[in-house]
Amino acid sequence: MYKIIYKNILFSFLLAALIISALFIFNITAKSIFTTAESNSKVKYYFVDNFSCITEIESAKEFKNSVKEDQQVEITYELSYEPYENLFVDKIGINSSHDEVDAYIARFRAEAKKYYTKQNDLFLRSTEIDKTSNEFELTVSGYSPYIQVVCPDASTYIDNEDTLVNRLVENVSITSICVATSVDFESLSTVSNFAPDYQMSEALSDIGIANNNFTGKKVKVGIMEARGIVNSYDHSELKDVNIFTNGYGEFKTSVHALNVTRILCGSNGVANGIDAAYVYYSPNSSSFISAMNWFLDNGCCLVNASLGFEDFGGNYHFSSAFIDYNVRFNFITFVSSAGNTGNNANHFVTPPATGYNVICVGNTNSRSEVVITSSYGDGVDMNQLKPTLSAPGGNLIIGGENIGGGTSYSAPIVTGVIARLMQQRAELKSRPDLVGAILVASASNAANQNDEWDTYAGAGIVNYAKAQSAINNTADIYCKDSSVGNFRQSLQFRAPAGKYKITAYWLSNTLTKNASSPIIFKIHTNYDLILQDNFNHNLKTSETLNNIEFLVYNNSYERFLCAKVKQVEAKKTTEIDFGAVAWCCV
């Protein structure tokens, strides 16, 4: 009898232990399912407050407590598969015609779109995300491993959080997930009037544009605009410009879009002969993927973005990462305004200009001075040189009208210069790295700028006349392996006595494949630029940690000089490093 009682008691204890263990395991499992996003470093949360300030939130709980009911929420997925280029690496020749370049780019993009569309669709099929849902809006990149879901309000996000975030944090196909309240670009895209009047004709003369030998013909330009769109019939200066419009949400015309387009390609503008301008209304951060899809679908090889996250200066945002990827892998040069916070405590360059592959433009006045409001610096230590260069943009007067000023108006001047250079050398339509090298090497010193990189002006003020010279003084950087200490390019040239600017400029690659970290700074290989004489004696060296090297050298007598690019660390990605070396006589 005692044995029976003992067995019953033992059985009860064992049963209780099993139940407790089961509950404990279930609790851990439930916790892993529903709170993984809380602790997983793959997810980043950003919140925009009532003052348009963007801050990173530590956890999902804190994010949900911060977001207001009527705020739109974006979930952006960065996926981890191979870029298409690894399957298609042949490049365009230096003497290729516009028809050959255009055909090559069109063929590449058509194949790339098939590839990315298939890969992104495979990912969506592996999830519970309903592509036909009426609760949220799904935007899929046709040319990169990015997908975005936009919830119209906080409650929609919270209702779908498990499907859109929590159940995906362990998905091996995802590099990172960015959850953020949408940024309203319209209220942040401002101009500054801290400058004397500057006639457009004088500005063009100052940057070396004296004739219309090249006007941007055979070039299609995309224009991202935060305040609205513009049509060719909106101003007499645009009547001969082929303008196409698209956008996010309800369209409206905009004075800002009008003036940016007039500066870039109007009859009194920089490149008044471009084939077409594709103006996309981008009122918020949810518009980047759809805008880039449209630009690439329509054959644009150059984009101007006079907008930015004014209160998120010095940060690397989803938009920065997304643009970096497209510049690197889709044959497109991207120009962005630096921002107008230079006289604020947060004076740093604003996203998307914080992209490593973005040509970031500061603002100068009629005295070649950097305007006090022009944003500068990279904020945290991101190993960047920002702005890339500067251009006239202080209180411009065009067609007899004072349109104000700011980096919004400096950017299209640089974009127009690039369009002219692309007409002159068709290969540039496929080489954003070469474009960057030419612009940096040919920039003129701003007021009070020594022969070195300037904190406020970057490489200096854009100079079209000198760029036309530098366009022929280039060599390519092409690196597939990680052997440290090797020279990746040697550009030798005969140099009469005088002053020379030499630059190396290479594109940052991507961390989307096999990455363990979320959307952060894109990683680029560290190269140094070394100038030698014909006896291999080192004359000067540039040893920064960013993806631009820049030096100026006073050559005392005629001789051969050689610019060499040396790899000083192993490559951090499997993708090929593409870049260029350029020199210009000052």
Side-chain angles (χ1 to χ4, degrees):
M1 178 177 177
Y2 292 109
K3 289 182 179 180
I4 295 173
I5 295 172
Y6 175 76
K7 286 182 179 179
N8 287 338
I9 294 172
L10 181 62
F11 177 77
S12 299
F13 272 115
L14 289 172
L15 182 61
L18 286 172
I19 293 171
I20 292 171
S21 298
L23 288 172
F24 180 72
I25 292 170
F26 175 79
N27 183 57
I28 292 175
T29 305
K31 187 174 181 181
S32 66
I33 292 174
F34 295 109
T35 66
T36 303
E38 295 281 349
S39 57
N40 196 298
S41 62
K42 188 180 284 189
V43 186
K44 290 286 187 179
Y45 295 91
Y46 297 96
F47 172 70
V48 183
D49 64 21
N50 291 334
F51 302 99
S52 298
C53 291
I54 307 171
T55 56
E56 185 175 340
I57 301 296
E58 292 298 323
S59 68
K61 182 178 180 180
E62 186 180 355
F63 177 80
K64 287 183 286 187
N65 289 338
S66 300
V67 65
K68 293 179 173 55
E69 175 59 34
D70 61 347
Q71 284 188 294
Q72 184 171 282
V73 178
E74 307 164 354
I75 305 99
T76 306
Y77 309 105
E78 185 181 40
L79 307 183
S80 61
Y81 53 83
E82 287 276 6
Y84 175 67
E85 183 201 51
N86 285 357
L87 313 175
F88 197 103
V89 296
D90 52 312
K91 286 291 180 181
I92 296 168
I94 188 172
N95 295 316
S96 300
S97 68
H98 279 282
D99 287 343
E100 290 171 333
V101 172
D102 292 344
Y104 176 91
I105 292 175
R107 180 167 62 93
F108 175 91
R109 288 181 179 172
E111 294 301 317
K113 189 172 185 179
K114 291 179 185 177
Y115 172 78
Y116 288 111
T117 300
K118 179 181 178 180
Q119 295 294 330
N120 290 342
D121 188 58
L122 286 173
F123 165 76
L124 288 171
R125 289 183 188 180
S126 72
T127 72
E128 298 177 25
I129 299 174
D130 181 4
K131 294 190 292 185
T132 63
S133 174
N134 294 322
E135 291 188 83
F136 47 77
E137 179 181 350
L138 179 70
T139 305
V140 181
S141 172
Y143 299 90
S144 65
Y146 287 90
I147 296 173
Q148 190 172 70
V149 171
V150 178
C151 298
D153 49 49
S155 61
T156 302
Y157 166 72
I158 293 170
D159 289 345
N160 291 276
E161 183 184 26
D162 284 342
T163 299
L164 300 178
V165 180
N166 295 345
R167 294 172 185 167
L168 297 178
V169 292
E170 300 302 329
N171 190 314
V172 294
S173 298
I174 297 178
T175 299
S176 65
I177 303 173
C178 178
V179 181
T181 49
S182 295
V183 179
D184 179 7
F185 283 144
E186 184 173 358
S187 63
L188 303 178
S189 178
T190 58
V191 294
S192 165
N193 295 314
F194 288 80
D197 291 350
Y198 202 173
Q199 292 287 342
M200 186 67 181
S201 57
E202 180 186 356
L204 295 180
S205 177
D206 287 346
I207 64 171
I209 295 179
N211 55 57
N212 278 331
N213 290 342
F214 296 101
T215 60
K217 188 177 181 181
K218 298 285 187 179
V219 178
K220 297 177 180 178
V221 182
I223 301 175
M224 288 186 72
E225 266 299 317
R227 296 185 174 184
I229 52 95
V230 63
N231 300 287
S232 56
Y233 52 77
D234 288 335
H235 199 283
S236 60
E237 293 177 14
L238 300 177
K239 63 182 179 64
D240 296 324
V241 182
N242 293 320
I243 297 178
F244 301 91
T245 59
N246 203 338
Y248 188 92
E250 185 178 350
F251 285 17
K252 58 181 178 179
T253 57
S254 160
V255 173
H256 188 272
L258 171 67
N259 290 331
V260 166
T261 309
R262 288 169 67 191
I263 292 168
L264 198 164
C265 57
S267 57
N268 294 314
V270 181
N272 53 24
I274 65 170
D275 275 16
Y278 289 82
V279 183
Y280 195 93
Y281 177 40
S282 303
N284 55 48
S285 51
S286 303
S287 57
F288 271 78
I289 293 177
S290 54
M292 192 59 70
N293 281 345
W294 190 60
F295 294 146
L296 294 171
D297 282 346
N298 284 286
C300 294
C301 55
L302 176 60
V303 173
N304 183 89
S306 291
L307 47 76
F309 297 66
E310 292 280 347
D311 291 289
F312 202 44
N315 284 276
Y316 194 79
H317 182 260
F318 140 70
S319 62
S320 309
F322 175 70
I323 297 302
D324 271 347
Y325 191 98
N326 279 276
V327 171
R328 171 61 184 81
F329 294 104
N330 286 314
F331 305 122
I332 197 156
T333 298
F334 197 93
V335 180
S336 180
S337 54
N340 302 301
T341 61
N343 58 338
N344 296 345
N346 181 13
H347 56 72
F348 305 114
V349 164
T350 62
T354 51
Y356 290 89
N357 300 335
V358 175
I359 295 173
C360 169
V361 185
N363 178 21
T364 55
N365 62 24
S366 58
R367 296 189 290 265
S368 297
E369 301 165 334
V370 177
V371 178
I372 189 174
T373 54
S374 185
S375 299
Y376 63 93
D378 64 355
V380 296
D381 184 17
M382 295 197 295
N383 297 325
Q384 292 186 325
L385 294 175
K386 296 289 182 178
T388 313
L389 74 169
S390 300
N395 266 1
L396 289 176
I397 298 176
I398 182 169
E401 178 187 357
N402 188 323
I403 61 171
T407 60
S408 283
Y409 295 161
S410 302
I413 286 184
V414 172
T415 305
V417 165
I418 295 171
R420 281 174 166 253
L421 295 173
M422 285 179 170
Q423 181 189 353
Q424 182 176 344
R425 182 173 169 180
E427 180 200 10
L428 294 182
K429 292 197 281 190
S430 69
R431 293 291 304 279
D433 56 317
L434 190 54
V435 170
I438 291 168
L439 291 179
V440 170
S442 60
S444 300
N445 282 353
N448 303 316
Q449 181 179 1
N450 298 321
D451 290 330
E452 58 188 23
W453 197 275
D454 186 79
T455 300
Y456 308 101
I461 301 173
V462 65
N463 190 305
Y464 172 63
K466 291 182 178 179
Q468 283 191 290
S469 172
I471 204 172
N472 299 312
N473 307 332
T474 65
D476 295 340
I477 300 170
Y478 181 92
C479 179
K480 295 181 69 174
D481 65 68
S482 291
S483 302
V484 176
N486 290 348
F487 289 107
R488 297 305 178 186
Q489 184 52 258
S490 296
L491 174 60
Q492 188 176 54
F493 56 97
R494 180 183 291 276
K499 187 184 296 185
Y500 294 85
K501 282 187 178 181
I502 305 102
T503 190
Y505 186 109
W506 62 100
L507 299 179
S508 175
N509 279 308
T510 173
L511 280 178
T512 56
K513 186 174 186 298
N514 297 329
S516 59
S517 54
I519 295 177
I520 57 169
F521 322 147
K522 291 307 173 197
I523 300 299
H524 49 266
T525 309
N526 188 15
Y527 297 96
D528 287 348
L529 176 63
I530 303 169
L531 184 67
Q532 296 181 339
D533 61 16
N534 54 335
F535 299 104
N536 294 322
H537 296 144
N538 288 358
L539 303 175
K540 198 168 185 179
T541 302
S542 176
E543 300 177 318
T544 65
L545 295 174
N546 49 72
N547 60 323
I548 303 174
E549 298 289 355
F550 172 92
L551 59 84
V552 179
Y553 182 71
N554 277 305
N555 187 39
S556 56
Y557 58 93
E558 184 171 353
R559 56 180 162 170
F560 279 99
L561 299 177
C562 186
K564 295 185 176 181
V565 177
K566 181 179 181 180
Q567 186 174 345
V568 295
E569 69 175 11
K571 290 171 82 274
K572 292 182 173 64
T573 65
T574 58
E575 286 83 28
I576 299 167
D577 282 341
F578 283 113
V581 186
W583 65 270
C584 186
C585 184
V586 177

